[in-house]
Amino acid sequence: MKDTHDLELIREYPVKVARLWAAVTRPEEVAQWFGTEGMRMEICEMDLTRTGPWVCVMVGKDSGDRFKVSGQVTHVRPPQADDTGSVGFTWGWHDDNDNRGAESHVTFAVAPTETGARLTLTHRQLDTLEASQSHGRGWLSTLNKLDRMLA
């Protein structure tokens, strides 16, 4: 069996669980923060309120380079009565010929805290340490945008 690498990032927000859940699942909200800083979303068909396919195309604001990523939403468990909830999806980058590369798995889990809500982002089964480190940097940059949206 091939070794894979996982990463986990945790953020806490001064908002109710329902607000955080909406921010990380509703397509009109995801489109506002998804993607790293310095990128603009050309296509963001990402509805994490239901299972099914998703796709995003990001373009570097300065470079004009295009990056396509896609997958399948595999589960949606909305929080009940301000409790925990999670959504999971597969993740695969596309190359310049639109061939989808190695697949990994992402989960956004929300939970209540004493002061608001916690987001735990887990990205599992990355095929190399370098991929894990690169995705870690990308997710940190992406979460900076979510931080500003929920501030």
Side-chain angles (χ1 to χ4, degrees):
M1 181 174 183
K2 184 178 177 186
D3 285 340
T4 60
H5 302 270
D6 301 342
L7 67 95
E8 180 178 87
L9 301 170
I10 298 172
R11 286 292 220 286
E12 294 199 4
Y13 297 97
V15 299
K16 293 186 179 290
V17 167
R19 173 68 189 107
L20 180 56
W21 180 254
V24 300
T25 60
R26 294 179 58 198
E28 65 275 12
E29 297 211 36
V30 172
Q32 293 179 49
W33 63 268
F34 196 78
T36 59
E37 296 163 304
M39 301 291 253
R40 70 172 175 79
M41 241 352 129
E42 182 174 276
I43 298 169
C44 189
E45 297 172 3
M46 191 170 208
D47 185 349
L48 301 180
T49 65
R50 59 175 176 73
T51 58
W54 68 272
V55 63
C56 291
V57 177
M58 298 167 261
V59 179
K61 289 179 181 176
D62 294 330
S63 69
D65 292 342
R66 297 178 83 239
F67 302 92
K68 181 178 179 180
V69 61
S70 69
Q72 290 283 327
V73 178
T74 57
H75 82 267
V76 179
R77 291 186 204 100
Q80 301 297 317
D82 222 26
D83 197 8
T84 61
S86 68
V87 60
F89 50 96
T90 61
W91 178 277
W93 289 105
H94 293 246
D95 67 17
D96 292 339
N97 295 317
D98 204 27
N99 297 311
R100 194 163 179 269
E103 185 168 272
S104 53
H105 299 270
V106 177
T107 302
F108 295 159
V110 300
T113 67
E114 288 185 18
T115 59
R118 175 184 304 113
L119 172 66
T120 302
L121 184 157
T122 308
H123 198 146
R124 296 179 292 107
Q125 298 178 323
L126 291 155
D127 58 351
T128 66
L129 178 60
E130 293 78 18
S132 178
Q133 292 169 339
S134 176
H135 281 84
R137 288 187 298 274
W139 282 120
L140 286 170
S141 176
T142 296
L143 290 177
N144 287 341
K145 292 167 60 179
L146 179 62
D147 294 348
R148 288 191 292 275
M149 188 175 114
L150 294 175

